[in-house]
Structures are given as C-alpha cells and as structure tokens.
Amino acid sequence: MTAMMRLAAAVAVIFTLSVTAAFAQGTPPDYEEWQRVVSRAQEAIDNNRASEAAMDALRLQLDVWRDSFGAESGKRRVSVDTLNAQLTSLGPVPEGGEPDDVAQERDLLQKRLAMERAPSVRADLAQAEASELIRSIDVLMRDRQADLLLSPGPWPLNPAIWGDAWTDVMRSFRFIGLELVTSWVHETRSNDLGQSLPLSIMYLAIGGLLLVRGSRWVRASLQRMLAARDVISARRWVMMFVVSFGQVVLPMLGVFALTKAFYATDLPGLRGDIVLSNLPLLTFQILVAKWLGERIFSRHEDPLLMVMLSPAEKLQGRRALSALGIFLAANTLAAELARYDNWQVGTQAVVFFVLAVLGAICLAVLGQLISRHGQFMASPDETQSTTVGLIVVFLARFMLAAAAISIVLGVFGLTRAGGFLAFSTCKTVLLIGFLLVVQRLIQKIFAALAGYDDDKSSLAAVLVGVALVVAALPVLALFWGVRVVDLQEIGSKLADGLRIGDMTLSPRTVLVFFLVYFVGHGLTRLAQSMMRDSILPKTKLDPGGQNAVVVGAGYVGIFLAALIAMNVAGLDLGNVALFAGALSVGIGFGLQTIVSNFVSGIILLIERPISEGDWVEVGGQMGYVRDISVRATRIETFDRTDVVVPNSDFISGSVTNYTRGNTVGRVIVPVGVAYGSDTRRVEQVLREIAEAHPMVLANPPPGIVFQGFGADSLDFEIRAILRDVNWVLSVKSDMNHEIARRFVEEGFEIPFAQRDLWLRNPEVLPGAGNFAGSSRHNFTKETVMSEKKDPSSGESAHNLDQSDFEGETGDDY
C-alpha cells in the first residue's frame, strides 16, 4: 500500500515536470544545462552515496530531459522527412546533366537537409545519453535493493539483543506520548485548544460512532436482506455485496474523522504525524483482510465463493485472515518508525523477525485450508484434479513454502529477506482473494443485466475479469519489489511501441486501427442491411443474385475499412505489402486448399452458376443449395441432411443444376408389358396417362418410346416435360398408380421374372422313385415328408422336416 502512495506521488511529480517541459518545447533544449545535469548524474552514480529519494529525483529529472530530446528529434524528423520527399520527387541527376534552376533547387534542398539533420542528430545523441544514465541508475538501485535483502544481520534469536530491541520500540511510543503531552500543555497555555475543541469533538464523535456502530449497521442490514427472500436473485445479490463493503467504508470514514479531529487540535508531533498519516492505510489493511475473510470463508449457508470446508475450518480461515491484516499493518507501522527513529540493526532484526514469523504462521494456516479445499476440486471420475484445482493446490503449496522459507531465512539472520518474502506473499494472497471476490461480483452483475439468476459466466464477464487481472499486474509487481520508476519505464516503452522495420506498433496505433476498422465494419453491415431489405428487393435480380451482391459488397466494405484504418493509424502500406508478400509464400505452401476454396467462392458469387434454392448434383451428392459462403456451400439433401461441399468442387468438377434459370425438366417413367400385348394400344394408353397429368406440359407434348424386347417383357418409356422438375418423384408416383389402374382395365399383363429349376441328378433325392423317368418335377411337401429317412439308418440323405417349409406361400417345391 505504501508503494501505491509512492506511485501516486511519483505520478504527480512527473505531471508537474511534464507541464513545465511542455511550456519549454517551443525552444530547443539547453545543452549546456544538460551537460551540468550529466555531470551531477555521473558523480552520483560513481559515488553511490545518494539516498534513494535523491536518486529517484535525479532519475525523474533525467526522464524529463529525455522526453524533451525526443520531442526535439521528432520535430526535426518531420522536417527531414519532408526534405527527403522533395529530393525524391526530383529524382536522380540525369547523366547528361540537368537544367540550372533544377540544380539550384536540388542544392538548396540538400543544404537545408544538412542543417535540419544536425539538430536532430544532436538530440538523438543526447536522448541516448539520458537513456543510458537512467539505465545505470536503475541498475544501481536494484543492486542496492538486492544487497539490503541479502545482507545478513544480527541473529534475531540472540537473547542479548532482545532488551535493546524492547527499549528502542518503547522509546518510539514513549516519544509519541511525550509529544502529545507537550503539545497539550502548549495548546492549553496559549488558549488555542478551546477554539478548535468543538470541531474536534464533532469529528471525534462522528469517527467514534462510525468505528463502533458502522460494522453493526451493515451486518444488521445484511441479515434483514437475507431474511426477506428465500431465494436471492442476482440483482439482490449485487445489492447485498455493495452493502457488505460498508464494513470497510464506514470504519474507514470513522478513521478519517478521528484523524481530522486530532489534526484540528494541533496536538500531534512529528512521530504522531507519522502514525496519523499512516493510520488510514493501516486501518484499510486490517479491514480489507477481515472483509475478505467474511466473504471467502463465509459463515452463511450461501457463501460468496464455494469453499468446500467445514464450519470450524471456515472460522479458522476468518481468524487467520484477520490476524494476517493486523500483522501486515504492524509491519508497515514498524517500518515507518524504524526509518524515522533510526532503530538499531539488532532491533530491526528482532521486530521484523517476530512479525515475519507471525505472518508466516497465518500463511501456513491459510495454505493448509486452501490445500484441503483444492483436494476436493476433482473431476467427476475422481481420478485427477481439474485445472482450477491444480492452480489452487499450487497456490496453497506456494504459501506453505513461502512461510517455511521466510522463517528459515530469519533464523539465519536474513530477517529483511524473510520479512519481504512473508509479507509480499501475504499481500499477494489478499490481492488474489480480492480478485476472486470481484470476479464473482462481475458475474452476478452481468447475470442481473441479462435477467437470469444462475452463476454461468458470460463471455463479457470473463473478458472483464481478464482485464481486471491484467490491471492488477502492476500492483502485484509493486508488492514484489518492482520500483515505481521501473513500471514507468515499461509503460514508456509500451507507449513508444514495437518497431518492425520502418513501422512502429504502439498501443495508440493499435487502438486507432481497431476503432476505425470497427466503425467501417459497422457501416458496411448497415449498408448490407439496407441493400438486402430496401434496395435489392425492388430490382429484377433473383434472390441468388441479390445475395451475391450483398456478400460482394460486404467483402469490398471490409477491405476498404481495413485500408482506411491502416491509413488513419499511420501504418505504412508498403510494409504491409511486404508482409502480404511473405504471407503469400506461406499460403503457397500450406494454405493452397483454403485459398482455392476462397477464390472459388468468389467466382461462384460473381458468375453464379448456382444459386440458393437450386437443385444440384455434385460429387455424388444431390439436393438443394441452402447457403453459399466464401469457403464452402451447404446442400440440403432429400433426406434432410446438410452436406458441406468445398467451393473448389463446383469450379473444378462436374455440376448438374436441374433448376438453373427455370424449373422445367423431364421425367422418364419405364414400364413393361407381357409378350403378346397390343403395342399400339399400350402406346395409346400411356400417352393418355401422360397427357392427363396436370404437371406435364402440352408443348412439347409427351412422348412414348417402345424401347425394345426385354428378357421378360416389352419395354416402354413415358418421356414428358414437367413445368416444375422439383415434383418429378411425385409425378412418377402418380403415373405409376395410373398405369397400374389402366392396365387392369385394359387387360394388359405386367410380367415379372420367372426361373425354372433343373436338377442334374434327381435320383439322389428322398422319394426319387416316385418320379423316375423325368428330370423335371413338382415336389409337394407331403410327398417329400412321406419319404423322410430315419437318422439311425446310416444313409447320408438330407432329412427334411416341417421347419424346412416354414414361411412359404405355396405347396409346390
């Protein structure tokens, strides 16, 4: 939390220096003053004696100078680029020379270019020098931080230093009391206390009331909200969560009121000012830890987070988190007092070791509880843990390891390293718990906005949660020792962007590109909607053509939106062309099929050999075209299944389109009659049947074809043109029904295939004696059964029984 306050202070200083530099941008940098700054910076780096605050101030000053040099170089670079463009437009000098006026213009441009390049080069060199000095200061400060953590101190378990440590700590608190008494005597003698006493009493009363009663008011409100409904909706859940945060807000307001009351009396001294200035931060650490304990290890049946622990274990978790907040606040206060009162090294070793051990114990308890909860987060088959369960178990093990290592480091004299590890882990645990609670709140908020009460995470809630985690990364880095200036340096590099050749990708460039592109994309979709609903229906284009126009306009609009976005964002289209050329090589090797289908889809949309609703046959698949996309076409077959056909099959293969342009098509109905039938009468009957069907066109008239003499019948065909070929199966069925009816009336026989069975050696069959003298017989069931042989006779003839004749419809076999 102290790091956060330092971050805010640094931002304020940078803002002030930036404003000052902004007013000075109209004039070039003072390089003589810059050389004096360089001398001071080099001396401070070489001596390595300046304090951390002095080094930070020097670094901020160097950062402002670096920005001014960058602005100067950028300003000059514009002029240089302009002059280079003018020289490029003149082109190279011809071999035979050029006119005098052109030569004079070229010479003038070259001189101006040389004059503009000199300040730009000087600014670039100074900027590089400032960057190197800043890097040296950062390395120096990181080395100091590492030496401070890794330098061994007195052994904290040595009883000889305990007395001095107790004396130093008590002296600090005693000085706070003495400052308070001295200020009281001074204020009462000067009669200044009476003037500020009413205001102080008012602040004191408000602060005391909020501290004593604030949490109780919030708890009572939550109890009433819980008792009002059996089922808590998502909206009510969000309201309860907001109300629960009053357990932090109201006591914090009380602390601010108490601080205001004490400052109104002018009683606090220097050490009292240290305590009062840090009191809100200390209170916040304690209250947030307690609040997280109530939210994570909830005592209610409907917890905020599903922690699978017993009520006793949840109580242990709430107590451990509350104690963790207290020890974290005590460590923060001890660090401030040690810095101001200059505690002895032994005192610092003892105090920070004790606090680190207490914090490590709380970490160990929480780690055990979280590990027990992670073991329950198993997959349904209970054979392996889920991904979330593995993460939870890893976090628990990290907490246990950090607790153990911090105690070991303190025992061996590395009390600062042990305390840093223990309390950095404590802050990390609190931050992770806070993110989990806020993520659950985000889920409930989106659920309330969508109107449902379950806990399903929507995509928007997940994206907001990811953004929240990314935003928390700088805070996490501050917890683990990253300096504020390091974060500023990273932010500056991100703002400058990633340079690829002559193209720079910065967050601003990416943001502008996507903003313009999404606007263009939205306008394209709006234009497509207007064309589809209002413009194209009033034209003579068929639905397939209208769809092709809409899709083509969409591709053109998206392409133009991308080009405009790149132009507005400042991306060089030449570099994009180089990138596209490199990409085309990869396409040629690995994406041939995809590109082929894409190009085929564009050809289909332009030439339109098929349209939506056409009856087509391609690659052995027959059905209706339902959708034509860029990569593939969806065909609905007659059994109502969807077949996705790549577009390249329509371009490179044979395609039969039964309804292209119109729905007129032919039906062929084959039929056979028995030999001996009157073929002319059969032809006349079939013609009457064809002409009587309403779907058959009169022009051209239907035709009857006598195909030939088949193996079993005389073969005829009805060939008729239908007004709608989509009804071909229904027409064929209707004609077959009519053919069957008319043939019965006319006495025409529709033959079927017949076969004679010839036996090569019938004498081996049972009962063959009854049919001697002939090789062609009609066998009956009774005849064969009467000759059934006894299995015990030893003959090899086949034995037939009743089952051999089951399922037959006749008696002759």
Side-chain angles (χ1 to χ4, degrees), residues 622-764:
M622 180 183 293
Y624 293 104
V625 177
R626 296 305 185 197
D627 181 61
I628 303 175
S629 62
V630 179
R631 190 195 67 82
T633 298
R634 181 170 62 89
I635 296 177
E636 182 183 352
T637 62
F638 297 123
D639 55 0
R640 292 296 187 268
T641 59
D642 285 347
V643 178
V644 179
V645 181
N647 287 331
S648 57
D649 292 354
F650 288 93
I651 301 300
S652 60
S654 298
V655 181
T656 302
N657 193 335
Y658 294 96
T659 58
R660 174 62 180 169
N662 57 68
T663 59
V664 175
R666 188 173 70 172
V667 62
I668 298 177
V669 182
V671 62
V673 296
Y675 278 91
S677 302
D678 185 355
T679 56
R680 291 299 179 182
R681 180 57 183 165
V682 170
E683 180 181 1
Q684 182 180 358
V685 171
L686 293 178
R687 190 181 305 277
E688 292 173 356
I689 292 173
E691 291 176 348
H693 199 282
M695 192 62 69
V696 175
L697 293 177
N699 187 21
I704 309 299
V705 180
F706 183 9
Q707 285 284 73
F709 302 93
D712 302 305
S713 63
L714 302 174
D715 298 333
F716 287 83
E717 279 185 358
I718 299 176
R719 296 189 176 187
I721 303 300
L722 305 181
R723 68 181 76 252
D724 191 347
V725 75
N726 292 301
W727 297 88
V728 62
L729 293 178
S730 298
V731 172
K732 185 179 290 187
S733 177
D734 293 342
M735 288 186 177
N736 283 329
H737 282 296
E738 188 65 15
I739 289 170
R741 187 185 67 83
R742 290 291 302 275
F743 276 19
V744 171
E745 293 178 356
E746 299 289 339
F748 296 146
E749 179 185 356
I750 300 178
F752 55 88
Q754 299 184 25
R755 296 293 181 266
D756 291 337
L757 179 62
W758 292 82
L759 299 178
R760 185 180 297 278
N761 47 353
E763 64 275 3
V764 301

Side-chain angles (χ1 to χ4, degrees), residues 114-133:
M115 293 177 60
E116 291 292 340
R117 276 180 175 171
S120 178
V121 171
R122 188 175 185 182
D124 289 339
L125 293 175
Q127 185 180 16
E129 187 177 19
S131 298
E132 183 61 26
L133 290 174

Side-chain angles (χ1 to χ4, degrees), residues 198-233:
L199 183 61
S200 300
I201 293 176
M202 183 187 68
Y203 281 127
L204 190 63
I206 294 175
L209 182 63
L210 292 176
L211 283 175
V212 175
R213 303 293 298 179
S215 297
R216 296 182 183 179
W217 292 342
V218 174
R219 197 177 300 114
S221 300
L222 292 176
Q223 291 294 339
R224 287 194 298 270
M225 297 177 72
L226 283 172
R229 298 283 182 88
D230 294 334
V231 179
I232 302 176
S233 63

Side-chain angles (χ1 to χ4, degrees), residues 329 355 366 387 505 517 529 579 613 688:
L355 293 175
L366 291 173
T387 303
L505 291 178
Y517 174 77
S529 179
F579 177 76
E688 292 173 356

Side-chain angles (χ1 to χ4, degrees), residues 306-584:
M306 295 301 297
V307 180
M308 291 173 281
L309 299 174
S310 64
E313 291 172 335
K314 290 183 179 180
L315 176 61
Q316 188 178 11
R318 292 195 296 271
R319 291 177 176 175
L321 269 176
S322 299
L324 188 64
I326 294 174
F327 298 142
L328 183 61
N331 181 75
T332 303
L333 179 61
E336 294 295 331
L337 292 178
R339 184 181 299 109
Y340 184 81
D341 286 336
N342 196 18
W343 284 355
Q344 299 180 20
V345 179
T347 301
Q348 297 184 30
V350 172
V351 171
F352 292 119
F353 174 73
V354 171
L355 293 175
V357 169
L358 294 175
I361 293 174
C362 296
L363 274 180
V365 173
L366 291 173
Q368 291 177 353
L369 294 176
I370 295 176
S371 177
R372 200 167 305 159
H373 165 66
Q375 293 174 358
F376 285 102
M377 300 178 64
S379 58
D381 56 0
E382 300 293 338
T383 57
Q384 59 181 356
S385 298
T386 60
T387 303
V388 179
L390 292 174
I391 295 175
V392 171
V393 171
F394 172 77
L395 178 62
R397 292 177 179 175
F398 174 74
M399 294 168 62
L400 293 172
I405 293 174
S406 62
I407 294 176
V408 171
L409 290 176
V411 168
F412 283 95
L414 298 174
T415 54
R416 289 189 175 273
F420 174 78
L421 177 61
F423 288 107
S424 296
T425 307
C426 291
K427 296 176 183 178
T428 303
V429 170
L430 293 177
L431 179 61
I432 293 176
F434 181 77
L435 292 177
L436 290 174
V437 171
V438 174
Q439 176 63 28
R440 183 68 182 280
L441 173 63
I442 293 172
Q443 294 176 8
K444 286 292 186 179
I445 290 176
F446 279 96
L449 293 176
Y452 56 84
D453 296 332
D454 54 14
D455 292 337
K456 294 181 180 179
S457 298
S458 63
L459 177 61
V462 174
L463 293 179
V464 172
V466 172
L468 187 66
V469 172
V470 173
L473 291 178
V475 180
L476 184 64
L478 292 175
F479 289 164
W480 287 95
V482 177
R483 300 166 62 241
V484 175
V485 292
D486 295 334
L487 295 178
Q488 295 171 354
E489 189 70 18
I490 294 174
S492 176
K493 291 182 178 179
L494 290 177
D496 293 339
L498 177 63
R499 193 170 186 83
I500 304 175
D502 295 333
M503 183 172 59
T504 302
L505 291 178
S506 63
R508 175 189 171 278
T509 302
V510 175
L511 180 62
V512 171
F513 172 80
F514 281 108
L515 181 62
V516 176
Y517 174 77
F518 284 129
V519 170
H521 186 273
L523 292 177
T524 301
R525 295 306 183 201
L526 180 61
Q528 284 182 295
S529 179
M530 293 178 61
M531 294 174 64
R532 185 185 299 109
D533 300 334
S534 302
I535 300 176
L536 293 178
K538 299 178 181 179
T539 64
K540 296 181 180 180
L541 289 175
D542 58 275
Q546 295 178 15
N547 180 69
V549 172
V550 171
V551 174
Y555 291 134
V556 172
I558 291 175
F559 179 73
L560 292 178
L563 288 181
I564 294 173
M566 287 188 291
N567 189 20
V568 174
L571 297 178
D572 188 1
L573 296 181
N575 295 323
V576 176
L578 292 176
F579 177 76
L583 183 63
S584 64

